Amino acid sequence: MFDFNKFEETILGCSNVIITAHKNLDLDAFGALLSMYFICEKMNKKVSILIDDIEFESGVEIALKKIVNLNYKVDIEDYKNILNYLDKDSLLILLDTNKKTMSQNEKVFEAVKKVMVIDHHIKEEDYNIISIYEYINYKSSSTCEIILDIIKRFNVVIPEYVATVMLAGIIIDTNNFYLKTTKNTYYCAGYLKELGADITEMQYLLKQDFNDYVDRQKVIENTRFINSNVAISVGEENKIYENEEIAKMADSILLFKNVEASFVIGKLDSNRIGISARSLGKINVQEVMEKLGGGGHSTDAATQIDSNNLNEVKENLLNLLKSIV
Ligand SMILES: [Mn+2]
């Protein structure tokens, strides 16, 4: 359970708040940053958002421009400027990741003494953040859903456009309310509508890039099936994929008829291959990923392998699956 008292006490007990999230911001991370900003403001804290990204995903870019046009006074700073804001009682809130190395700038962890983490990703064994308070729940659909519970609890009024961004974040992270969606997720969506989320504005945030879509379809087109219910897709030989792209393709393939589990293999860089695995629950994909050096949860797992040989990785996976399914 989220400890609202501890959360409030931690915010009230610091001199100022710096909020940050993972690199390559997505709409869940950005919605979380913005909404947490307004929560801290409501608690009368000086608050700034740390963003070091230079390029932005198209939805995030649109949202960034929009908050400037709407004249929302949100203080966004890069790492260099943030250093001027820090003292021994500053609080850093890390959102939508629980890894320092994945954060906007991991150096900030050396510059602050107090850290809070709010996230919905699996906490791995090498977790190394010493925090005053952390809430990391992989069962939550999104960081925006966790933060919306804080908004409800403290009756925070967020600007309408922030509600729009948060709703887009929930939609992205649940793949349109398919994944990790609970009663509370729908309730949050309804509450965001009440706060003024605009569906037309949201569509602009969720628009896909045509070429990315075509690239994903190419991989999906090459899906092969084992026992007709396990799908395996392999990325193109000379293409490097973002981790999230591989994960999204595995999410998409799980939606097809008969598919109980999906595995997508793709190059993450010249000598690293990633596998994302998804399951509806009957097949434990965590067991499979663990045998390949990875981890996760029974319905949502992944691994990374030092290799540049897609075929070999696929064969290893196939062999493993033959003994399981
Ligand atoms: Mn997220």
Side-chain angles (χ1 to χ4, degrees), residues 164-181:
T164 304
V165 179
M166 290 179 85
L167 186 54
I170 292 176
I171 286 180
I172 286 277
D173 273 27
T174 60
N175 203 5
N176 297 310
F177 299 107
Y178 277 112
L179 306 166
K180 292 184 172 179
T181 300

Side-chain angles (χ1 to χ4, degrees), residues 26 28 96 120-121 142-143 173:
D26 56 18
D28 183 38
D96 206 31
H120 70 119
H121 293 94
S142 53
T143 305
D173 273 27

Side-chain angles (χ1 to χ4, degrees), residues 67-79:
I67 58 167
V68 174
N69 287 338
L70 290 168
N71 209 16
Y72 291 176
K73 296 208 165 40
V74 179
D75 181 31
I76 299 177
E77 307 286 350
D78 63 11
Y79 172 69

Side-chain angles (χ1 to χ4, degrees), residues 263 275-277 284-296 301-303 317 320:
F263 296 85
I275 308 180
S276 266
N284 184 341
V285 291
Q286 176 189 27
E287 267 173 31
V288 184
M289 290 297 96
E290 262 174 10
K291 288 193 172 117
L292 292 170
T303 188
L317 175 64
L320 256 177

Side-chain angles (χ1 to χ4, degrees), residues 33-281:
L33 286 173
L34 290 175
S35 48
M36 184 58 80
Y37 187 91
F38 288 99
I39 292 170
C40 295
E41 259 198 346
K42 156 108 184 189
M43 294 180 167
N44 289 318
K45 280 292 153 183
K46 179 171 160 35
V47 50
S48 309
I49 294 176
L50 164 60
I51 297 179
D52 257 8
D53 280 347
I54 296 164
E55 284 177 9
F56 296 96
E57 179 269 320
S58 66
V60 173
E61 190 166 3
I62 293 169
L64 266 166
K65 283 186 185 143
K66 186 85 181 182
I67 58 167
V68 174
N69 287 338
L70 290 168
N71 209 16
Y72 291 176
K73 296 208 165 40
V74 179
D75 181 31
I76 299 177
E77 307 286 350
D78 63 11
Y79 172 69
K80 226 178 86 224
N81 282 331
I82 280 290
L83 288 179
N84 302 321
Y85 290 54
L86 299 179
D87 63 48
K88 65 176 183 23
D89 284 321
S90 297
L91 172 71
L92 175 73
I93 305 181
L94 178 64
L95 301 171
D96 206 31
T97 180
N98 58 60
K99 284 192 161 174
K100 289 179 188 175
T101 50
M102 282 182 70
S103 71
Q104 285 284 328
N105 193 324
E106 63 179 304
K107 282 186 273 178
V108 73
F109 288 88
E110 289 160 29
V112 291
K113 291 203 173 64
K114 298 177 173 177
V115 179
M116 187 192 293
V117 184
I118 298 177
D119 183 31
H120 70 119
H121 293 94
I122 288 160
K123 192 168 158 182
E124 282 169 42
E125 277 164 28
D126 59 356
Y127 180 78
N128 61 352
I129 298 176
I130 299 161
S131 65
I132 301 190
Y133 180 61
E134 64 186 47
Y135 183 78
I136 303 171
N137 184 354
Y138 71 80
K139 288 187 174 161
S140 292
S141 71
S142 53
T143 305
C144 283
E145 179 175 333
I146 300 170
I147 294 182
L148 200 67
D149 288 335
I150 307 173
I151 287 173
K152 281 187 277 185
R153 169 67 177 244
F154 294 104
N155 276 317
V156 179
V157 178
I158 53 167
E160 290 184 353
Y161 192 72
V162 174
T164 304
V165 179
M166 290 179 85
L167 186 54
I170 292 176
I171 286 180
I172 286 277
D173 273 27
T174 60
N175 203 5
N176 297 310
F177 299 107
Y178 277 112
L179 306 166
K180 292 184 172 179
T181 300
T182 63
K183 185 173 76 177
N184 191 56
T185 315
Y186 288 116
Y187 184 64
C188 284
Y191 193 75
L192 285 167
K193 255 326 258 167
E194 229 165 81
L195 291 172
D198 182 316
I199 302 299
T200 309
E201 285 286 349
M202 190 186 73
Q203 285 185 58
Y204 284 101
L205 299 179
L206 295 175
K207 275 185 184 295
Q208 304 192 45
D209 180 81
F210 181 77
N211 294 318
D212 290 349
Y213 181 82
V214 171
D215 282 346
R216 284 204 296 274
Q217 296 316 305
K218 279 185 198 151
V219 178
I220 293 171
E221 214 174 273
N222 286 321
T223 301
R224 72 174 266 202
F225 296 90
I226 312 171
N227 297 338
S228 79
N229 64 352
V230 176
I232 299 183
S233 312
V234 183
E236 286 178 88
E237 188 62 47
N238 43 21
K239 205 176 166 346
I240 302 292
Y241 297 88
E242 295 282 336
N243 231 333
E244 303 88 74
E245 280 180 272
I246 295 176
K248 271 198 184 122
M249 288 189 272
D251 288 341
S252 304
I253 295 166
L254 197 58
L255 301 178
F256 291 109
K257 245 182 211 169
N258 300 325
V259 175
E260 281 293 334
S262 61
F263 296 85
V264 176
I265 306 168
K267 286 187 177 171
L268 299 174
D269 61 47
S270 54
N271 199 34
R272 207 159 177 72
I273 292 177
I275 308 180
S276 266
R278 297 289 184 271
S279 164
L280 287 175

